[in-house]
Amino acid sequence: MMYATSTRQWGRIVAATGVILSMTAVSACGNGAAATDRSGKPVVTVALLQNSDAQGKLKDAQWAKELEQACGCTIKWTQSNPTSWTQQKNAVLASGDVADLSFNLYDQTDFSLNPVFEDLSDDLDKMPNVRKLLENKNNEAVKKYAYTLDGKLYQIPSYTPTIENVGTGQNWMINKTWLDKLGLKVPTTWDELTRVLEAFKTQDPNGNGKQDEIPFDINALGTNGFSWYSPFLLMNSTGISTSVTSASGSQGMYVKNGKVANFMLDDEYREVVGYLHELISKGLVPSDAMTKDSSKYNAELQSDGKTALVGMAIGWDRYAFGDLKDQYVSIATPSAPGHTAVWEQGQDSAYAGAAVKADSPNKDAIFKIIDKMVEPDVSVSAYWGDMPKYVEKRAEGDYLVKPEAMDGTAVKYGWSNRVFAFWNKGTVIDGVDDLKVYNGDLAATQAQMPGDGNYMPFYVMPDQTDNTTISNNNVAILDYVVPKTVEWIVNGGLDDAAWNDFKAGLKKLNIDQNVELWQKWYDAYAKE
């Protein structure tokens, strides 16, 4: 599930948009001449994802007015509906009809496949604040994410390092209140987990006299692969460290001892499919789990805010359960039989930021907007709300978000991770309870992270040619994998013959070629 309008999915969401809500027409002179408003000021269109929780108009925010003062231009803001983007982004990119400046809409894969964006590497003299940030040795990981291996710079990444423990935004969480009531311990293996889930199903741990408990609630397997809160995070129980929110990991790629592989070819994948089928057949996972939409999933986790329905789930942190969050604790990954469990490697990661359309007419104004945005006070205000009304600046790099700026996890007067933002490590952001909860929840899996040589760095990205090959192969691979996997999870039938046919089918669809290409680029970045 996505919490992009709240403080959740902290540094990993690639926010993007598709349905333009209020595009204002601007005048333009042809042949590359600058677009101007009636007073002759340059006009810059800036697109970002809508924060549905934000109150007030973006153009009226103080930080937005400061951007216009800095650029000497008129900004035409376009906000878009987040639910439509995945279906529409490719069409927008293919048309080339992107905004002059996009905030958090596109990722590195988009840049390598769609040559519509400006290479900013030779524009940094016009963005001195940005240059300073990229040259900061403490931001080396950000720089690696920003630049391609051949020195191209298609976006200035967002970077908001305000968490103490680096994680991936994925946590196992179990109802500790139920465990305590039933006299059970936190499960550390699949066998123990199964017994706990059976008790959750049959012993009325929520005490309402109904057998309405959902022992283990899981997300549906998406058609685009393995992603946020995927049930295939159970691969970690088998000793394979996933990275389901990354470009490679969503395709089933992983790294072990410096070697790239794909878990869909591994016997451990079959083990996870078999275990999920066992849980569904015993009624420990909902029978509609593979078709359930995210709104129903979220509603089940939060129930009525009084009586919990869910025993265990995977999410960002305990706020996934709303008012019931205090009943839950995060736990380490339970081990599958014969395996030692691991977890996804947390990385000091940047995410999608500011990208400029290559043929935008008012680039000097655009560069001034970007350079102003990376000033800490502006970024913090854009993210959390204007200073001093919603955020108090206590000192340089030290901020307090006021209670009235938040509604639970929702940011009411800022644009959260919808907006391009950048601040350095060591920046203090107090007053956000969700951050405290998240930091605490991460502790359970910190010791299970596999370390160097056993994960794909978030900045590894193939070039345009190889990315096109991988993408084309992956469409066919996932079209083949997802329905078969769903069938086996729900109805069983993954016997030896079916498993061997499955692996043979993957090889015919060039999965080995994808593995080889990811290995090529993993090795190339390792030499840098």
Side-chain angles (χ1 to χ4, degrees):
M1 56 188 168
M2 301 282 285
Y3 296 88
T5 57
S6 73
T7 61
R8 300 173 181 273
Q9 297 187 358
W10 199 251
R12 300 297 307 277
I13 293 178
V14 178
T17 70
V19 179
I20 301 301
L21 298 180
S22 57
M23 177 69 83
T24 303
V26 298
S27 63
C29 303
N31 302 317
T36 58
D37 63 14
R38 293 180 180 179
S39 66
K41 285 185 178 181
V43 173
V44 175
T45 59
V46 181
L48 73 162
L49 195 66
Q50 181 188 29
N51 176 7
S52 59
D53 295 312
Q55 301 181 15
K57 296 181 179 179
L58 193 157
K59 68 180 180 64
D60 294 331
Q62 181 59 38
W63 62 269
K65 294 177 181 178
E66 291 178 17
L67 293 182
E68 287 194 322
Q69 292 172 1
C71 69
C73 69
T74 297
I75 297 176
K76 299 298 183 181
W77 296 95
T78 67
Q79 297 182 69
S80 305
N81 187 322
T83 61
S84 304
W85 181 251
T86 54
Q87 289 78 32
Q88 299 188 16
K89 182 175 72 170
N90 288 340
V92 171
L93 287 168
S95 73
D97 190 21
V98 299
D100 294 324
L101 177 59
S102 298
F103 286 165
N104 298 16
L105 306 188
Y106 305 106
D107 61 22
Q108 300 294 66
T109 303
D110 298 321
F111 302 130
S112 69
L113 294 175
N114 301 277
V116 297
F117 296 98
E118 172 84 358
D119 174 10
L120 301 170
S121 61
D122 58 357
D123 299 312
L124 293 179
D125 287 343
K126 298 177 181 178
M127 296 180 284
N129 291 333
V130 171
R131 177 185 287 280
K132 183 178 179 180
L133 291 171
L134 291 177
E135 291 177 349
N136 186 334
K137 292 182 179 180
N138 290 328
N139 296 333
E140 195 62 30
V142 180
K143 187 175 181 179
K144 287 183 177 180
Y145 178 75
Y147 282 92
T148 63
L149 281 182
D150 59 355
K152 298 295 193 331
L153 178 64
Y154 292 111
Q155 72 170 338
I156 311 303
S158 290
Y159 185 56
T160 55
T162 50
I163 56 176
E164 299 164 7
N165 298 311
V166 178
T168 67
Q170 317 275 338
N171 282 294
W172 296 97
M173 294 172 291
I174 197 165
N175 194 311
K176 186 65 162 54
T177 299
W178 289 8
L179 288 175
D180 292 344
K181 180 177 180 179
L182 301 179
L184 299 170
K185 296 181 179 179
V186 170
T188 61
T189 67
W190 279 5
D191 289 341
E192 292 176 4
L193 176 59
T194 302
R195 289 194 290 272
V196 164
L197 297 179
E198 288 173 338
F200 284 174
K201 178 185 177 183
T202 61
Q203 298 183 32
D204 191 27
N206 68 10
N208 66 355
K210 305 175 185 178
Q211 193 171 337
D212 57 355
E213 288 83 358
I214 301 171
F216 182 15
D217 214 356
I218 64 175
N219 261 323
L221 181 59
T223 57
N224 293 325
F226 311 95
S227 188
W228 287 95
Y229 318 132
S230 169
F232 279 87
L233 285 162
L234 280 167
M235 291 300 306
N236 292 277
S237 295
T238 71
I240 291 175
S241 179
T242 62
S243 56
V244 297
T245 60
S246 71
S248 62
S250 65
Q251 303 168 15
M253 300 293 172
Y254 69 95
V255 179
K256 201 163 192 175
N257 298 321
K259 299 299 181 183
V260 178
N262 193 295
F263 60 62
M264 289 185 285
L265 292 171
D266 294 336
D267 289 341
E268 288 85 351
Y269 186 78
R270 182 181 180 184
E271 292 178 41
V272 170
V273 171
Y275 186 52
L276 288 169
H277 173 63
E278 175 189 341
L279 295 179
I280 282 186
S281 65
K282 290 181 176 180
L284 306 180
V285 165
S287 58
D288 66 347
M290 291 294 100
T291 57
K292 181 166 49 186
D293 65 31
S294 60
S295 61
K296 183 179 180 183
Y297 176 80
N298 294 340
E300 290 169 347
L301 264 56
Q302 299 190 19
S303 186
D304 61 358
K306 298 177 182 179
T307 301
L309 294 177
V310 174
M312 192 174 80
I314 304 169
W316 179 263
D317 64 22
R318 289 175 287 123
Y319 264 106
F321 301 95
D323 291 339
L324 299 166
K325 67 181 186 303
D326 291 337
Q327 293 191 22
Y328 294 83
V329 295
S330 60
I331 65 172
T333 311
S335 295
H339 298 284
T340 300
V342 294
W343 193 232
E344 297 198 323
Q345 179 66 39
Q347 301 185 55
D348 180 23
S349 58
Y351 57 107
V356 178
K357 187 179 181 182
D359 61 358
S360 292
N362 289 313
K363 287 182 182 173
D364 285 345
I366 293 170
F367 298 149
K368 290 176 182 177
I369 293 172
I370 296 173
D371 210 46
K372 185 67 176 179
M373 275 299 305
V374 301
E375 292 181 6
D377 288 358
V378 176
S379 278
V380 170
S381 295
Y383 204 108
W384 300 105
D386 282 329
M387 298 181 197
K389 188 172 184 180
Y390 302 112
V391 179
E392 176 188 349
K393 182 178 181 180
R394 299 181 296 197
E396 290 299 324
D398 188 338
Y399 304 92
L400 173 67
V401 178
K402 297 181 179 181
E404 54 266 33
M406 303 292 296
D407 182 8
T409 65
V411 180
K412 293 169 60 179
Y413 299 101
W415 265 254
S416 190
N417 55 15
R418 306 307 199 193
V419 76
F420 168 54
F422 199 115
W423 53 76
N424 284 315
K425 292 179 186 177
T427 299
V428 175
I429 306 287
D430 282 339
V432 184
D433 186 59
D434 194 17
L435 289 178
K436 297 178 183 178
V437 170
Y438 180 66
N439 277 312
D441 287 348
L442 282 176
T445 52
Q446 290 288 300
Q448 293 183 312
M449 293 181 183
D452 291 346
N454 293 295
Y455 66 93
M456 183 75 73
F458 73 96
Y459 48 77
V460 173
M461 184 56 57
D463 66 11
Q464 181 175 356
T465 299
D466 287 349
N467 220 336
T468 299
T469 300
I470 290 170
S471 179
N472 290 340
N473 287 343
N474 204 49
V475 169
I477 288 169
L478 291 175
D479 283 348
Y480 173 74
V481 166
V482 172
K484 284 184 175 292
T485 299
V486 169
E487 170 67 19
W488 290 326
I489 290 173
V490 175
N491 297 316
L494 184 51
D495 55 21
D496 289 346
W499 176 239
N500 290 333
D501 286 345
F502 177 71
K503 290 190 293 183
L506 285 173
K507 290 181 177 293
K508 290 179 181 178
L509 295 173
N510 298 318
I511 194 170
D512 288 334
Q513 182 184 34
N514 279 10
V515 172
E516 291 169 3
L517 291 174
W518 278 110
Q519 182 75 62
K520 167 186 170 181
W521 290 99
Y522 174 86
D523 292 341
Y525 277 87
K527 295 176 182 177
E528 288 294 303

